[in-house]
Amino acid sequence: PGWALNGLTFDPRINNSGQIVGSGWNPDGFYRAFRVTQGEATGGDTAAPSSSASLLTPANEAGWNKADVTVSITGIDAALACASGVKEIVYSTSGAQNGAAQTVSGSSASLNVTAEGVTTVTYYAVDNAGNAEAPKTIIVRLDKTAPTINLSS
């Protein structure tokens, strides 16, 4: 047996439902089985996750794109051994492309910016213990209209 908790020596494993389970001998001589539920497993996670965003099509040297842009957002929750994992990514858009907050389950999300002009994407990650990081932003500058030249004679 590899672990000890309150006098119980055991070898933990994760079952098909993702629960931590195990069994072992108590100091009082009784054989015990246990299961840790998600709430118990995440009870020690007090640290917020972290996220980052990137444009899948890089902007030009002036910071602008000339075609629709996909923004990729990724969250991680690995600061501590008791990290509960990223539950969801929340994002919204404002400026040229306005959009209400969207919640996407899991540790990644992506969105398309199609409106010409400057759009601010605000995003953050939430972990399974309910910890949320402070919102972050990424700016998307989009100009799909080619310049025109008018010549007069």
Side-chain angles (χ1 to χ4, degrees), residues 9-78:
T9 304
F10 63 94
D11 282 319
R13 62 183 173 79
I14 298 176
N15 67 15
N16 291 337
S17 300
Q19 298 169 321
I20 301 171
V21 296
S23 58
W25 293 96
N26 259 358
D28 59 9
F30 291 100
Y31 190 75
R32 307 277 179 171
F34 67 91
R35 179 184 73 207
V36 179
T37 65
Q38 182 177 0
E40 293 167 331
T42 61
D45 184 358
T46 59
S50 178
S51 62
S52 62
S54 62
L55 308 182
L56 294 187
T57 305
N60 66 19
E61 290 178 8
W64 288 82
N65 286 81
K66 63 180 183 177
D68 294 349
V69 176
T70 299
V71 178
S72 175
I73 305 168
T74 304
I76 59 169
D77 189 31

